Amino acid sequence: MSKIIISCAITGSIHTPSMSPHLPVTAEEIADQALGAARAGAAILHLHARNPDTGHPSSDPAHWAGFLPRIAAGTDAVVNMTTGGSAIMTLDQRLAAPKANEPEMCSLNMGSMNFALYPMAARIRDWKHAWEKPFLENTDDLVFKNTPRDIATILQEMGERRGARFEFECYDLSHLTMLKHFVDRGAVRPPYFIQFVFGVLGGMASEPETLTHLKRTADRLFGADYRFSVLAAGRAQLPMATIAAAMGGHVRVGLEDNLYLSRGVLARSNADQVRLIRGIVEGLGREVATPDEARAILCLKGRDRVAF
C-alpha cells in the first residue's frame, strides 16, 4: 500500500473551551500544538482560528495572522485552511482568511446539512464563557449551509484563482454525488482528496459498513482518480481511522474531532493523538508520508506559493 498521510485538525469550531483545558484557543496555543503535531508525524495541519479572549470560533484574518507565520516558519507541514469556518458564519466570513493567505489546501464541505451539537451541552456543568451553552443548545435548529453556488464560489476563489487543492469533506453519500457533479462540470481536477466524515449528528454514523459502501461508491464514481481519508468524531476516531488505514486510505485525528486519548482520558495535546495513530498505522505496515510526499501524492502547488 502507498504511504499514509496523517492529517491533524488542531482546534476546529465544534468543541468549546469548557470541554477541555487542552483545547488550543490563543494564537500561541494553536501554533504550539500545530508544531507539536507536525513533529509527531502529521503531514497536513487542518486549521481554524479562535478569538483568544473568548475561545469563540473566529473568521478574523487578524486572528489567523497570530499563528500562521509562526507555523510556516517552524514546519514544512502542509497548511490546510478551513473554508467551513463555523456553521454560523456567512460564506464571506468563512473565505476572508483563506483568500488573504492563499494556502496550499483548503477544506470544502460538499453539501448542506443539519449540524446538531446540542447533546454536548448536557455534559458540561461549569461554563467558562457565556456564549458556549446557547451556541450548543441552539444547534437543534441549525443548518450548515453549503449550496452548489457556495461550493462553486469556493472552487473558483480558492482553486481557480489561488491554486489551492481541496480536502473534500463528505458527511453523507450524497456529498460524493455532488463532488461528481463538479467533476463533470470540469471545476475540479484529479487527484480528488476525499475526507469521509463520520459521527456528526446530521451526518453519517461511525459504522464500518457505511465506510465500505462509500469506498465502493467512490471507486465507481472516480476510479483511480481519488485518494480517501477518514475522520470520525468522538470515541470512534481511532477505530474508524484504523479501518481506513487497513483499507489503504489516509487518516485524520486532532482535537477538532475528538478531545480524548482513551476512554475517560483527555488528550493533553494534538501530538498525543498523532503519536497514537502513527503507532497503529505503522503496526499495520503503513509508512507515514512526509509533508513533501503528501504534496506529491495530492499534487499541491508548494509552500513557496502561499501568502503567509
Side-chain angles (χ1 to χ4, degrees):
M1 289 184 284
S2 61
K3 292 193 175 183
I4 185 168
I5 298 169
I6 299 176
S7 296
C8 187
I10 303 301
T11 188
S13 63
I14 293 173
H15 294 126
T16 72
S18 296
M19 297 178 183
S20 172
H22 310 300
L23 183 71
V25 166
T26 67
E28 182 178 11
E29 291 167 347
I30 292 171
D32 284 346
Q33 292 231 23
L35 294 173
R39 288 192 294 269
I44 297 176
L45 302 171
H46 175 76
L47 299 174
H48 289 242
R50 289 182 182 259
N51 183 314
D53 297 322
T54 66
H56 196 284
S58 172
S59 62
D60 188 342
H63 291 151
W64 284 87
F67 57 82
L68 280 179
R70 186 175 163 211
I71 292 172
T75 180
D76 64 347
V78 176
V79 168
N80 173 2
M81 293 180 68
T82 179
T83 67
S86 171
I88 60 174
M89 294 176 185
T90 68
L91 183 60
D92 285 343
Q93 289 172 328
R94 288 156 51 182
L95 284 177
K99 287 167 67 175
N101 289 283
E102 304 185 13
E104 294 182 78
M105 285 193 75
C106 289
S107 65
L108 178 49
N109 297 70
M110 293 308 296
S112 300
M113 59 180 291
N114 295 330
F115 211 88
L117 311 174
Y118 62 89
M120 294 181 180
R123 306 172 193 168
I124 304 172
R125 294 182 179 180
D126 299 316
W127 300 92
K128 290 184 178 180
H129 304 288
W131 66 267
E132 297 179 71
K133 186 177 182 181
F135 164 73
L136 295 171
E137 290 180 339
N138 288 334
T139 61
D140 66 348
D141 192 34
L142 178 64
V143 174
F144 188 13
K145 176 178 173 289
N146 295 285
T147 64
R149 184 182 297 177
D150 293 338
I151 294 168
T153 297
I154 295 170
L155 288 172
Q156 182 179 55
E157 290 292 338
M158 297 312 305
E160 183 178 339
R161 294 183 179 176
R162 293 170 173 85
R165 300 299 298 267
F166 296 93
E167 171 198 17
F168 294 105
E169 296 196 347
C170 295
Y171 295 73
D172 189 82
L173 180 66
S174 63
H175 294 181
L176 286 178
T177 307
M178 184 60 73
L179 176 57
K180 181 60 164 60
H181 166 73
F182 280 99
V183 169
D184 291 343
R185 285 173 54 172
V188 293
R189 67 185 189 278
Y192 318 117
F193 187 49
I194 300 173
Q195 188 74 255
F196 295 134
V197 184
F198 297 89
V200 175
L201 185 58
M204 300 179 293
S206 298
E207 298 170 340
E209 296 84 355
T210 304
L211 173 56
T212 301
H213 182 54
L214 289 168
K215 175 69 167 57
R216 287 199 301 264
T217 302
D219 287 344
R220 175 173 54 82
L221 293 176
F222 308 114
D225 288 338
Y226 82 100
R227 312 289 178 262
F228 80 96
S229 178
V230 168
L231 77 87
R235 62 187 177 184
Q237 182 185 66
L238 286 177
M240 292 296 288
T242 302
I243 294 168
M247 293 172 64
H250 306 282
V251 296
R252 178 174 130 176
V253 294
L255 297 184
E256 172 174 350
D257 306 329
N258 175 32
L259 295 173
Y260 289 83
L261 195 63
S262 60
R263 184 177 179 87
V265 179
L266 288 169
R268 298 184 65 85
S269 71
N270 282 275
D272 285 348
Q273 292 187 351
V274 174
R275 283 189 286 267
L276 185 55
I277 193 61
R278 180 172 189 165
I280 291 171
V281 302
E282 288 180 337
L284 292 171
R286 302 291 302 276
E287 185 175 352
V288 174
T290 67
D292 282 342
E293 288 169 339
R295 289 182 173 94
I297 292 168
L298 302 178
C299 299
L300 304 185
K301 66 181 180 179
R303 63 193 299 244
D304 59 327
R305 294 179 58 193
V306 302
F308 56 90

